[in-house]
Amino acid sequence: MSSANVAVAPIVVEVLALRVAGHGRWAYRHLVTSPAPGESPDQAARRLAAVPADAARTVVHSTSWRHEPDGRIVLSYAVCPDPWPELPAIDLPEPRLARGDGPAGPTPGEVRPEHVAAHALGHLALLLDTDPAVRAALTADPEVAAALAGLARTPAGAFPVRR
């Protein structure tokens, strides 16, 4: 089969700009774009969130991907802390992950932005312990570091609060 006959799924970049909403609670802005011609998904995420490539105090991290029923592939990015905290955001009072039906069916029936935000927070909590560059950026904001410290260090699965 020639490459001219291969269908290419459209790529969508989704950004969850995460911020502490007070007392360890989180809020997020949900942003969506498509990469411009010649633009990588990372570049599209930074453009969408208005984060320069050399930012030292903002983490831009690819956290997940999913296939949508309409054929799109959605690449999800966490941006933390939100570089525009004055803009309206959606409260995330109790982060909950979406789950599939079982070990051989990992895709949840529905994935909403709040599920992606919960998953992204798990990634950031893990990276706080395991990635020196991410740790340096996140600990530059003590409120963000403290709120992440209360979360389980896991990229997926249960989202318990550490005691």
Side-chain angles (χ1 to χ4, degrees):
M1 179 187 293
S2 74
S3 62
N5 296 331
V6 176
V8 177
I11 301 293
V12 174
V13 172
E14 168 182 68
V15 169
L16 286 297
L18 300 158
R19 66 176 82 151
V20 177
H23 306 294
R25 294 172 59 109
W26 290 91
Y28 67 93
R29 289 186 302 122
H30 182 237
L31 311 167
V32 179
T33 193
S34 293
E39 183 179 49
S40 74
D42 289 0
Q43 291 168 326
R46 285 193 304 267
R47 171 179 51 80
L48 186 59
V51 175
D54 61 353
R57 293 181 173 224
T58 303
V59 173
V60 178
H61 182 74
S62 175
T63 62
S64 61
W65 69 273
R66 67 183 179 276
H67 177 264
E68 292 286 330
D70 63 5
R72 295 178 304 152
I73 301 295
V74 180
L75 305 177
S76 300
Y77 285 79
V79 172
C80 188
D82 183 350
W84 299 94
E86 66 279 3
L87 295 177
I90 301 164
D91 285 330
L92 188 64
E94 188 177 335
R96 294 187 185 194
L97 297 173
R99 299 186 185 280
D101 292 333
T107 303
E110 179 183 22
V111 178
R112 294 188 310 266
E114 61 264 26
H115 299 138
V116 180
H119 185 81
L121 286 169
H123 270 244
L124 294 177
L126 177 67
L127 292 172
L128 187 65
D129 285 346
T130 61
D131 185 313
V134 171
R135 180 183 316 112
L138 293 174
T139 57
D141 185 326
E143 189 176 28
V144 166
L148 285 171
L151 302 177
R153 266 76 169 136
T154 178
F159 202 87
V161 174
R162 288 201 312 171
R163 301 201 189 283

